[in-house]
Amino acid sequence: MVSMVADEKSQPQLLSKKAACNSHGQDSSYFLGWEEYEKNPYDPVSNRGGIIQMGLAENQLSFDLLESWLEANPDALGLRRGGASVFRELALFQDYHGMPAFKNALARFMSEQRGYRVAFDPSNIVLTAGATSANEALMFCLADHGDAFLIPTPYYPGFDRDLKWRTGAEIVPVHCTSANGFRLTRAALDDAFRRAQKRRLRVKGVLITNPSNPLGTTSPRADLEMLLDFVAARGIHLVSDEIYSGTAFAAPGFVSVLEVLAARGASNAAAADLSERVHVVYSLSKDLGLPGFRVGAIYSSNPGVVSAATKMSSFGLVSSQTQHLLASLLGDKEFTRKYIAENTRRIKERRDQLVEGLRGIGIECLESNAGLFCWVRMGNLMTTQSFEGEMELWKKVVFEVGLNISPGSSCHCREPGWFRVCFANMSAKTLDVALQRLADFAEANGSGKGGAGAPARRRLAGGPARTMSCPVGRFSWANRLTPGSVDRKAER
């Protein structure tokens, strides 16, 4: 019998409550900016007035290195080993534990990314269809419906979807501020824990991104020590999302929580217990720039987590041909060594281009040393220093300037005026176009370096100025995106 919902026409409810609910997070400005980009994407030849995608943390800087390796190793791509076809072997059913050759190569590559200061046991790796699946699987393993994880702000907007939508887990923000460069503090953790208790939520753990998305900074060793002390004292879990570990390009460099944990030793019962409550997420989407391959991993020393997550991975396996190809690529130690060095050099070069270009406009960035984005302060372009002013500026940047960037409010930042701006998914020339558009907008609004009366700056890379196809006011969804009192009430 078809159930009915109470509405004006009593229409039959044909979808499940999960499918029909609005808890996916798609109404976030992070996702809605993407939708506008997809309607009108920039192309340097065919659509010079389109929207430039600066909301996508994708690494396209080193594809030529990967393509050169493929040309030199045709067997890997041609599903051959030693000249003989392995098509039948790969096409038949595969154990969801993953191919040993690939897991061994991935474990070695993860260790190489960390300067061999951490050794990874392949038997503790669970393969997943990207980091999104890895994070969700960990939520299913560690939290029941209604349990909570503490996450430092600002955090990746997709977590509201990835961690909560299907699992029913809750997120309690750990509020960090610009006063100390948004570093995590024990006081902020304790405050978040107390707020969770007031909401009658059972806290099951803390989740961090290291290097941070969206800050583009690595977690200092002292902060990781403090975090381990906190989870040890509370008897909860720690999930460290380290998918940007290979993007650190400057001091102090990347330190994995596993390195800090190993330094404590596992000789006593307390250290051994803590090691089973620390879990790492990794993928090849950012360091190798292969998000389309859907290769993610959970690393855990907890046998129960590994067993449960392995069973869950059957719902999102990594294809056999992908594992075969990447086992060969990651197994080439000479290639991975050169790739890591050159890739980080290119990331730094492109990041410097963005930072210097913004500084020339009078816009400053948080000092960063990793990631594929910068945390940019654009308050000088806002009419009011408020979240309303932030959203007003965001709409103008998307629809008038033609740049899709992510406002800090979508990352749950408590201070208006911050934006995440990505730089590694485009050419240097396209980045120049984006900077020129922003410079023109700043000057037209009297906020650029030199003020409204300054002479128009030289165009960095041709292209007509972009005009809005529709007034901002006509987009009702954009008017809904101002963070309201409802969101903030939940945290009080």
Side-chain angles (χ1 to χ4, degrees), residues 5-44:
V5 293
D7 62 13
E8 293 182 0
K9 298 181 180 180
S10 296
Q11 294 295 324
Q13 181 179 331
L14 301 179
L15 300 179
S16 69
K17 291 181 180 178
K18 178 65 67 177
C21 73
N22 191 33
S23 61
H24 184 272
Q26 288 292 127
D27 59 349
S28 164
S29 51
Y30 170 75
F31 291 109
L32 292 170
W34 272 56
E35 290 181 12
E36 293 308 311
Y37 162 77
E38 290 168 355
K39 295 174 187 175
N40 185 25
Y42 169 81
D43 185 275

Side-chain angles (χ1 to χ4, degrees), residues 138-180:
L138 276 174
M139 291 300 106
F140 274 121
C141 289
L142 305 179
D144 290 314
H145 192 284
D147 289 344
F149 263 73
L150 311 182
I151 304 183
T153 64
Y155 64 76
Y156 165 55
F159 281 155
D160 293 317
R161 170 200 63 188
D162 302 349
L163 308 183
K164 296 169 54 178
W165 185 44
R166 298 199 299 183
T167 67
E170 297 288 340
I171 293 175
V172 177
V174 181
H175 296 302
C176 302
T177 72
S178 61
N180 67 346

Side-chain angles (χ1 to χ4, degrees), residues 449-469:
K449 197 168 185 177
R457 60 174 60 225
R458 173 183 60 85
R459 290 204 168 271
L460 297 171
R466 187 174 183 276
T467 57
M468 285 178 58
S469 57

